[in-house]
Amino acid sequence: MSDNAPATTTALPLLPSPTVQAERLVELGVHEIAGLDAAALRDFARTAEETAGAGALLAVHPDRAPASALAPLLHRDGRAGFVVVDMTDVDLFAPVDAVTDLPDAPLYLVESPDRGDEMANWSPDEALSALTERGRTPLLLTEGIHWVLHQPAALDRNHCFMTIGSRLRRANGSLDARTPAIWISNGTGRDGSERRGAPKVGWCWAGNRHTWLGFGSTAGRL
């Protein structure tokens, strides 16, 4: 595939309603991870359903439900999700400057999440500026995990995605070169054969391209 060549986009069904998503989070115990009462989560979802547009994603703020706690809740083909062994600092990845609309609230909505299949084979550095030009912002890692929790079809072999809204900032203020992504393990190397087919939280270099990774983004957060 040539540089920046578009990938075939696979249409996804709309996400279930916020109230259905809330029940899923309660079933998985995400409210307990976040220190929230199940009733409060359900109340938020009912209110959100009255105002949210179709296809909105219900998410918990990353400060309340970090990626390390959410990743094992992912499942595919009977295998649980995991974080790669060389990403022990996954929870230190924080919103980049381009993410200006993250609500200061434990619960919020992510509008019209998109996997960015057409950006497959772009580098994260290239994709960030393009998303900004389109009036969209990149998904946070935790938002990407929430999306796959509610809609497992969002993660498909050869159609996975990066979540470049989350980056690790070094002590000197510069960004670590790793960019987080969610894809499907092939069960090789340190993943272990027992994890073949499992959802995987890993990372890629900011300047590298991958033909099977798009760039998750949102039209806005409420």
Side-chain angles (χ1 to χ4, degrees):
M1 182 178 293
S2 62
D3 289 353
N4 294 353
T8 301
T9 300
T10 302
L12 293 171
L14 284 178
L15 278 158
S17 68
T19 53
V20 171
Q21 293 181 54
E23 290 304 319
R24 173 67 171 156
L25 294 180
V26 170
E27 174 190 342
L28 293 171
V30 174
H31 64 298
E32 296 176 342
I33 293 171
L36 297 171
D37 185 78
L41 176 54
R42 292 182 172 117
D43 287 345
F44 177 87
R46 279 193 293 268
T47 301
E49 197 154 313
E50 299 173 359
T51 58
L57 169 67
L58 175 60
V60 180
H61 196 286
D63 287 349
R64 291 293 195 106
S68 64
L70 294 176
L73 302 180
L74 296 171
H75 281 84
R76 186 179 185 276
D77 296 338
R79 291 175 171 82
F82 67 100
V83 179
V84 294
V85 296
D86 57 352
M87 204 175 181
T88 56
D89 53 1
V90 64
D91 293 337
L92 299 180
F93 282 65
V96 297
D97 293 341
V99 179
T100 59
D101 59 348
L102 181 63
D104 184 19
L107 300 166
Y108 64 100
L109 298 176
V110 179
E111 294 186 291
S112 304
D114 182 81
R115 197 167 57 191
D117 291 351
E118 76 282 1
M119 288 185 174
N121 212 30
W122 291 38
S123 73
D125 287 340
E126 294 165 337
L128 181 57
S129 59
L131 290 173
T132 300
E133 290 173 2
R134 298 177 187 183
R136 297 182 65 85
T137 58
L139 288 182
L140 304 180
L141 174 55
T142 51
E143 292 169 350
I145 296 174
H146 274 90
W147 189 15
V148 180
L149 283 174
H150 296 308
Q151 189 174 62
L155 195 66
D156 190 14
R157 192 167 291 281
N158 297 322
H159 292 289
C160 303
F161 60 96
M162 297 193 199
T163 54
I164 60 174
S166 298
R167 296 285 294 274
L168 178 64
R169 194 170 294 278
R170 300 190 183 100
N172 64 4
S174 64
L175 291 176
D176 185 279
R178 294 171 296 166
T179 56
I182 307 171
W183 71 91
I184 300 167
S185 173
N186 285 326
T188 57
R190 288 181 290 182
D191 289 0
S193 59
E194 70 279 5
R195 283 175 165 162
R196 179 174 174 79
K200 171 179 177 176
V201 172
W203 57 270
C204 304
W205 298 119
N208 287 5
R209 300 178 178 133
H210 298 277
T211 59
W212 42 276
L213 287 174
F215 292 86
S217 69
T218 172
R221 298 170 177 86
L222 300 172

